[in-house]
Amino acid sequence: PSNTEHPNDDNGHGTHVAGVIAESTNNGLEAAGIAYEALIMPVKACGLVTDSGPTPTPPATPAPPVYGCRQDDVADAIDWAVTHGADVINISAGSAGQSASIQIEAVNRALGAGILVVAASGNGGADKVGDPNLNYPAALPGVIAVGATGMTGERASYSNYGSSPEDPERTLDVVA
């Protein structure tokens, strides 16, 4: 997305999730990751994207770029992680629309290679209120779908819940 070799975290979310997973212990910060001996392989799949849809008539001012994750970039990141030895792939992003075949195929290649694929259930729609459908790729078969809880252990108001739009039996696997 930024066309650089360095996976800079543009919004801090990836760094936060990496800390939850692998923050070192006994570091004086009163926190430790859930897998503090894990090694992190940062792979950037999101960044500033533009909508290059049909050219309007008459030409209008193009929309400014927004932060997002294109499915082909996510698929490329999954494939890169597979070929570079990942054991677990965490995707803390997703969309309400069904995954494109390129992303489904990449997830299936990772699963076929014995890699655990984990994805966020979603953070609601535009209203930021949790929706009763899992986002993709969390809604895909074989992917561990993760929802969010708040400090009280109850479902966070923004966390998606419920099931896969195609498979009502496919629900959240874990919340944290």
Side-chain angles (χ1 to χ4, degrees):
S2 64
N3 294 322
T4 69
E5 299 255 338
H6 197 282
N8 288 325
D9 185 353
D10 299 327
N11 70 5
H13 184 74
T15 300
H16 176 78
V17 172
V20 169
I21 295 168
E23 182 177 347
S24 62
T25 186
N26 293 324
N27 59 8
L29 298 177
E30 299 179 9
I34 60 171
Y36 54 84
E37 292 182 342
L39 298 176
I40 298 293
M41 178 190 300
V43 181
K44 184 174 182 171
C46 303
L48 293 177
V49 296
T50 57
D51 179 13
S52 58
T55 304
T57 305
T61 305
V66 296
Y67 195 85
C69 308
R70 292 178 8 163
Q71 291 194 32
D72 58 333
D73 290 332
V74 173
D76 287 346
I78 292 168
D79 286 336
W80 193 93
V82 169
T83 60
H84 286 83
D87 295 315
V88 177
I89 296 175
N90 178 68
I91 306 168
S92 297
S95 65
Q98 185 168 7
S99 291
S101 62
I102 190 170
Q103 184 172 302
I104 294 169
E105 292 163 4
V107 167
N108 287 336
R109 282 190 293 275
L111 294 170
I115 297 170
L116 181 67
V117 179
V118 180
S121 66
N123 291 338
D127 60 3
K128 302 295 184 213
V129 175
D131 296 328
N133 287 315
L134 302 179
N135 273 2
Y136 290 91
L140 296 174
V143 175
I144 304 295
V146 181
T149 59
M151 292 175 20
T152 64
E154 304 270 332
R155 179 180 64 85
S157 62
Y158 57 82
S159 182
N160 286 9
Y161 56 95
S163 62
S164 165
E166 283 85 37
D167 181 3
E169 300 297 316
R170 172 89 185 97
T171 60
L172 282 174
D173 295 296
V174 66
V175 294

